[in-house]
Amino acid sequence: MNEYLSMLYLWLKSAHLIFVIFWMAGLFMMPRFFVYHQESAVGSEEDGKWIEREGKLRKIILNPAMIIVWVLGLFLAYDIGAFSQGWFHAKLLAVLLLSGYHGWMMGYVKKLARGERTMTDKKLRLVNEVPGIAAAIIVILVIVKPF
Ligand code: HEM
């Protein structure tokens, strides 16, 4: 039974990482989409195509991947008793910030669909650094577990 449970843990951890990759890929792609989208004229055919692409990325990859990462991550945390460990508190904080970034992006998708373009390309390229930095911090926290 114990052997079965530890195998299950490894399968779930693999699934966690697979969906982390999908989530991160979406988080990296979306701001690039925003930059290209903003090059098209509001109401043009190109604008419509970008709205459709962003909608698909949001519905098919970003939202489902984030939910699955959270569900599996919380299950893993419960299984190894991580809720009382320092590295996990720090990871949780980083993951909450990353989820906030995800939420901001979903808001910007809706703004672009309404024809509102409130951010410059330069700012969009700058915020695009957020997922990379967060991912580096999170991976170090889960693997090195410095505290
Ligand atoms: C969304 C909420 C998340 C929760 C609650 C969560 C929780 C966990 C837990 C408890 C583990 C098991 C650690 C172990 O077995 O020692 C784990 C593994 C892992 N997580 Fe997450 N995680 C989340 C999101 C993420 C994200 C966004 C990333 C990367 C950007 C990530 C990267 C990893 C990696 C690389 C491992 C494997 C660590 C190892 O096997 O040594 N996780 N996660």
Side-chain angles (χ1 to χ4, degrees), residues 9 13 16-17 20 69-70 73-74 77 91 95 138 142 145:
Y9 181 84
K13 188 149 85 170
H16 175 66
L17 286 184
V20 161
V69 166
W70 265 103
L74 289 174
K91 173 171 177 172
V95 172
I138 293 170
V142 281
K145 294 191 175 70

Side-chain angles (χ1 to χ4, degrees), residues 1-143:
M1 185 67 183
N2 257 351
E3 201 181 310
Y4 172 77
L5 281 180
S6 51
M7 270 311 283
L8 180 68
Y9 181 84
L10 292 181
W11 278 100
L12 293 176
K13 188 149 85 170
S14 305
H16 175 66
L17 286 184
I18 290 164
F19 284 95
V20 161
I21 291 168
F22 294 159
W23 188 26
M24 297 305 300
L27 290 179
F28 283 124
M29 272 167 81
M30 192 63 111
R32 301 300 309 170
F33 276 22
F34 293 163
V35 171
Y36 299 134
H37 186 166
Q38 294 197 158
E39 282 168 9
S40 68
V42 175
S44 63
E45 196 185 324
E46 193 60 19
D47 185 29
K49 281 187 188 156
W50 280 111
I51 292 172
E52 199 185 317
R53 287 179 196 127
E54 286 158 4
K56 279 189 181 156
L57 184 59
R58 179 167 72 102
K59 284 190 205 132
I60 300 173
I61 298 186
L62 273 166
N63 285 344
M66 184 184 73
I67 293 167
I68 296 170
V69 166
W70 265 103
V71 170
L72 292 172
L74 289 174
F75 177 84
L76 295 176
Y78 172 76
D79 202 51
I80 61 170
F83 289 99
S84 57
Q85 297 169 23
W87 67 271
F88 186 69
H89 298 154
K91 173 171 177 172
L92 215 49
L93 182 66
V95 172
L96 280 170
L97 291 174
L98 199 60
S99 304
Y101 173 77
H102 175 116
W104 164 80
M105 250 175 19
M106 297 303 109
Y108 203 70
V109 166
K110 288 179 188 153
K111 271 190 183 174
L112 284 178
R114 290 195 298 265
E116 295 168 28
R117 294 165 180 202
T118 52
M119 283 184 78
T120 60
D121 289 2
K122 203 175 160 199
K123 266 193 192 157
L124 284 172
R125 284 178 215 272
L126 205 69
V127 292
N128 208 2
E129 303 301 327
V130 171
I133 296 168
I137 294 172
I138 293 170
V139 169
I140 291 168
L141 285 169
V142 281
I143 294 191

